[in-house]
């Protein structure tokens, strides 16, 4: 139960960090804020993976706190990036490419469907 509390706290910090970054960069004609958050989160997820999982320099019990809670709330794109990288490293280029294409296409369609549904049902 203690780990759930820590993940929730780290998630709140990650979400607030994302909000701060997006507020600081502000709206633009291109989604620079989201791109920045996703790139920074993916970069940090890569470092966290090496430091926690591969090198064991940080107690493995910190993985849910840092990777799932903090970085997961900062950007879920970091998890997508890490999973894709793992497929590439395993030499499974086809699955990696398929994962990228399906993830992007499915999420764009889902976002569009949610927007359309909300626009037509919420007044």
């Amino acid at each position: 139960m203690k780990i759930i509390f820590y993940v929730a706290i780290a998630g709140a910090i990650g979400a607030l960090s994302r909000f701060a970054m997006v507020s600081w960069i502000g709206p633009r004609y291109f989604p620079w804020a989201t791109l920045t958050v996703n790139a920074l989160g993916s970069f940090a997820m890569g470092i966290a993976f090496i430091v926690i999982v591969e090198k064991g320099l940080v107690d493995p019990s910190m993985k849910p706190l840092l990777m799932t809670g903090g970085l997961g709330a900062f950007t879920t794109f970091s998890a997508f990036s890490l999973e894709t990288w793992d497929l590439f490293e395993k030499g499974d280029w086809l699955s990696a490419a398929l994962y990228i294409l399906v993830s992007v296409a499915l999420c764009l369609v889902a976002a569009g469907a949610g927007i359309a549904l909300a626009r037509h049902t919420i007044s």
Side-chain angles (χ1 to χ4, degrees):
M1 190 65 168
K2 190 164 116 176
I3 190 71
I4 293 171
F5 175 74
Y6 290 143
V7 169
I9 295 299
I13 292 168
L16 289 171
S17 298
R18 178 186 183 91
F19 176 76
M21 178 71 75
V22 170
S23 297
W24 178 63
I25 293 174
R28 305 276 192 260
Y29 294 106
F30 185 82
W32 289 112
T34 300
L35 180 62
T36 301
V37 166
N38 287 338
L40 286 173
S42 296
F43 181 74
M45 183 67 86
I47 292 171
F49 176 76
I50 297 302
V51 169
I52 298 169
V53 178
E54 281 194 6
K55 302 286 183 186
L57 300 174
V58 174
D59 185 345
S61 67
M62 297 299 290
K63 182 181 173 191
L65 170 76
L66 298 173
M67 294 176 74
T68 304
L71 291 173
F74 185 62
T75 172
T76 55
F77 199 81
S78 57
F80 165 77
S81 299
L82 184 61
E83 292 165 348
T84 303
W85 187 260
D86 184 53
L87 290 169
F88 280 132
E89 279 197 331
K90 290 177 179 171
D92 195 352
W93 292 81
L94 182 60
S95 290
L98 185 62
Y99 185 45
I100 292 167
L101 291 173
V102 170
S103 293
V104 171
L106 179 62
C107 291
L108 286 172
V109 169
I115 290 167
L117 178 66
R119 282 184 177 157
H120 289 91
T121 59
I122 300 172
S123 45

